[in-house]
C-alpha cells in the first residue's frame, strides 16, 4: 500500500521525504520540513504515529532508522532505548530532528488523528475512593473527541499547575459523537501540588480547563484477545480500552491483571465489576496485592504484578495483544516478562507514567 500525505506549503527544497515501512509490507509516504521533529511533524499532518509522553522519556515513539540522517535532541544513552536497540538503529521520533530524506520502520495506526483542543469545564463529580484516589468527572462546555486509551491535561481555571491523566471512559459510539463529560482517576501523591489541592476539599462545581486528546495506545486488531496489565490508577486507560473493544468486537476476550498495594487500595473494583457484568464470559479480573499484611482475610494472589503473569493464566501468549499502564519501572518489568512468555513485541502497547518533575 502506498499512501502519500499532502505536503505542506514549504517549497520542495525545504521538504524531506519520509517513507515509513511496516513489518506487514505496508508503506506510507509523507513530506515534512527539514529540521522539523519527526513525531511532531507527523502528528501535525494527522498521521497516527505511536507516541505518548513526547519528551523522550517513555520510548513509545521508538523508530528504526533504515536510511537517512536525523539529529537526536537527547543523548540516546540516557533515553529509554536499550543498547541493542541503539545499535540496531532505533531513534526516538519525538526527539529526532530530520536532516534529509528518511526510510524508517514503525507501525503506524490508521485511525483518524483527532485535533487537540482546549475547552473549559466544571467538576461534575468529586468522589473519594479507597486507596486515596479521587474519581474526578468534568462536564465539558464544549464536547471533545478522543480515542480509547488517550489522555488529557487538566488544571483548575486560572492555575498554572497542570497534570495529565488518562480518560477512564470509553469514547461515545453514537456516530462518532464527542464526549460531553469525561472521568479521571487521580491518586493522591504526598506533597503533590495538584493532587493535594484536589484532595483538600470537595471540588464539585470548580471551573477547570482541559486540553486533549493526547497519546496513542491500543492500536491493534479489535477481534484479538487482550491481556491488560495495570498498576494502581494505571487501570484508567485499561478501563477505556476494554469497554471500547467489548463494543467493537463480539468475540475478543480480556484478562485484566491489576496490581495494588493492599486490600484497602481496591478502588477500581466497581469499575472492573461493571466490565465483568457487561460481558461475564469475555472479561476476567485478577487483582494481586504487593504489600498485604500477613494473616489478613485476602484470599487472592500476593506479590508484584509480574508474578501474576504466567502459564496459569491459560492464555495463548503468542496470539494476544497486551496493554500495559503504570509507572515506568513496572511497565518495563511487565514488558520483559511478556516477551519472555512469547507475546510479540509489536503487540505490546504501553502507557508509562512519567513523573511531572514539579511538586
Amino acid at each position: 500500500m502506498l499512501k502519500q500525505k499532502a505536503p505542506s506549503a514549504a517549497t520542495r527544497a525545504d521538504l524531506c521525504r519520509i517513507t515509513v515501512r511496516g513489518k506487514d509490507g505496508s508503506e506510507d509516504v509523507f513530506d515534512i520540513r527539514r529540521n522539523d521533529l519527526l513525531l511532531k511533524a507527523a502528528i501535525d499532518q494527522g498521521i497516527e504515529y505511536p507516541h505518548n509522553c513526547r519528551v523522550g522519556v517513555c520510548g513509545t515513539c521508538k523508530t528504526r532508522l533504515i536510511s537517512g540522517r536525523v539529529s537526536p535532541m537527547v543523548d540516546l544513552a540516557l533515553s529509554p532505548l536499550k543498547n541493542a536497540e541503539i545499535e540496531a538503529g532505533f531513534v526516538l521520533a519525538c526527539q529526532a530532528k530530520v536532516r534529509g530524506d528518511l526510510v524508517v520502520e514503525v507501525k503506524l495506526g490508521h485511525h483518524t488523528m483527532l485535533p487537540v483542543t482546549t475547552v473549559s469545564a466544571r467538576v461534575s463529580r468529586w468522589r473519594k475512593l479507597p486507596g486515596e484516589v479521587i474519581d474526578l468527572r468534568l462536564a465539558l462546555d464544549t464536547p471533545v473527541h478522543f480515542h480509547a486509551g488517550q489522555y488529557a491535561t487538566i488544571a483548575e481555571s486560572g492555575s498554572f499547575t497542570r497534570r495529565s491523566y488518562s480518560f477512564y471512559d470509553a469514547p461515545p459510539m453514537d456516530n462518532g459523537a464527542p464526549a460531553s463529560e469525561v472521568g479521571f482517576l487521580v491518586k493522591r501523591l504526598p506533597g503533590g501540588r495538584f493532587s493535594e489541592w484536589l484532595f483538600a476539599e470537595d471540588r464539585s462545581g470548580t471551573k477547570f480547563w482541559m486540553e486533549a486528546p493526547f497519546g496513542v495506545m491500543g492500536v491493534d486488531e479489535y477481534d484479538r484477545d487482550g491481556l491488560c496489565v495495570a498498576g494502581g490508577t494505571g487501570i484508567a486507560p485499561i478501563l477505556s480500552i476494554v469497554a471500547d473493544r467489548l463494543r467493537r468486537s463480539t468475540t475478543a476476550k480480556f484478562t485484566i491483571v491489576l496490581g495494588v498495594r493492599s486490600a484497602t487500595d481496591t478502588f477500581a473494583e466497581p469499575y472492573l465489576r461493571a466490565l465483568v457484568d457487561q460481558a461475564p464470559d469475555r472479561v476476567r479480573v485478577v487483582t494481586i496485592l504487593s504489600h498485604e499484611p500477613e494473616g489478613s482475610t485476602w484470599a487472592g494472589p500476593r506479590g508484584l504484578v509480574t508474578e501474576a503473569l504466567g502459564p496459569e493464566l491459560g492464555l495463548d501468549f503468542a496470539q494476544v495483544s497486551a496493554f500495559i499502564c503504570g509507572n515506568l519501572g513496572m511497565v518495563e518489568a511487565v514488558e520483559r516478562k511478556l516477551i519472555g512468555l512469547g507475546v510479540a513485541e509489536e503487540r505490546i502497547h504501553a502507557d508509562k507514567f512519567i513523573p511531572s518533575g514539579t511538586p
Side-chain angles (χ1 to χ4, degrees):
M1 176 176 61
L2 179 64
K3 225 170 37 171
Q4 183 168 358
K5 301 289 181 181
S8 69
T11 64
R12 180 62 238 176
D14 297 327
L15 297 175
C16 300
R17 175 63 48 93
I18 311 300
T19 303
V20 181
R21 293 178 181 169
K23 290 184 177 178
D24 59 357
S26 63
E27 189 167 279
D28 291 74
V29 177
F30 59 96
D31 293 332
I32 68 174
R33 292 175 185 270
R34 192 179 309 277
N35 297 323
D36 276 357
L37 292 171
L38 175 56
L39 176 64
K40 183 179 185 306
I43 291 174
D44 287 347
Q45 293 189 45
I47 297 167
E48 192 178 9
Y49 209 105
H51 71 281
N52 193 8
C53 75
R54 300 179 297 170
V55 293
V57 178
C58 74
T60 304
C61 65
K62 68 181 179 184
T63 299
R64 191 166 77 88
L65 182 62
I66 298 173
S67 67
R69 187 169 73 88
V70 300
S71 295
M73 304 304 292
V74 296
D75 185 345
L76 291 182
L78 303 176
S79 77
L81 294 175
K82 303 177 180 67
N83 289 339
E85 291 174 329
I86 296 172
E87 291 171 358
F90 281 89
V91 298
L92 297 177
C94 69
Q95 302 296 309
K97 186 174 285 190
V98 175
R99 298 302 192 186
D101 293 349
L102 304 179
V103 178
V104 299
E105 182 181 87
V106 69
K107 183 180 181 181
L108 299 181
H110 292 91
H111 294 95
T112 302
M113 283 295 288
L114 301 172
V116 175
T117 58
T118 301
V119 301
S120 57
R122 194 177 295 272
V123 176
S124 57
R125 179 194 292 172
W126 179 97
R127 185 174 66 186
K128 281 189 176 179
L129 303 174
E132 296 200 305
V133 173
I134 292 286
D135 178 354
L136 178 70
R137 293 195 67 80
L138 300 181
L140 309 178
D141 292 335
T142 304
V144 299
H145 289 92
F146 67 93
H147 293 309
Q150 289 195 294
Y151 68 90
T153 296
I154 60 175
E156 180 193 14
S157 180
S159 170
F160 291 103
T161 303
R162 48 189 285 170
R163 293 292 183 269
S164 296
Y165 298 98
S166 296
F167 301 107
Y168 71 71
D169 305 287
M173 283 287 285
D174 301 333
N175 298 319
S180 57
E181 183 173 304
V182 293
F184 309 96
L185 297 173
V186 181
K187 173 71 174 177
R188 182 183 184 187
L189 299 177
R193 187 180 301 169
F194 178 81
S195 66
E196 292 282 21
W197 169 83
L198 187 65
F199 268 76
E201 59 183 85
D202 188 341
R203 301 295 181 182
S204 296
T206 300
K207 291 182 178 179
F208 266 63
W209 61 262
M210 181 185 85
E211 186 179 19
F214 295 111
V216 173
M217 185 182 180
V219 180
D220 215 323
E221 301 160 20
Y222 288 120
D223 286 333
R224 190 172 289 275
D225 290 350
L227 171 58
C228 307
V229 187
T233 50
I235 195 65
I238 299 298
L239 294 171
S240 176
I241 289 168
V242 174
D244 184 55
R245 286 175 173 260
L246 284 175
R247 297 183 307 192
R248 295 179 182 276
S249 170
T250 58
T251 58
K253 297 182 178 180
F254 299 90
T255 297
I256 303 173
V257 179
L258 172 62
V260 293
R261 289 179 60 83
S262 71
T264 61
D265 297 319
T266 53
F267 64 90
E269 185 177 344
Y271 307 90
L272 294 167
R273 190 186 315 123
L275 287 177
V276 174
D277 290 345
Q278 180 183 342
D281 57 337
R282 297 172 57 198
V283 180
R284 63 170 169 164
V285 176
V286 177
T287 300
I288 183 167
L289 308 183
S290 61
H291 291 75
E292 179 67 5
E294 293 293 332
S296 76
T297 58
W298 176 255
R302 299 167 184 251
L304 298 176
V305 71
T306 49
E307 296 174 57
L309 305 174
E312 62 275 13
L313 289 178
L315 299 174
D316 184 350
F317 288 101
Q319 297 299 319
V320 299
S321 293
F323 303 92
I324 315 167
C325 187
N327 66 56
L328 185 62
M330 169 260 173
V331 170
E332 291 183 345
V334 171
E335 286 177 329
R336 290 192 295 272
K337 184 69 176 284
L338 293 185
I339 290 171
L341 288 167
V343 179
E345 191 168 356
E346 62 269 23
R347 296 210 177 278
I348 297 177
H349 312 281
D351 184 354
K352 303 168 184 174
F353 288 173
I354 309 299
S356 67
T358 305

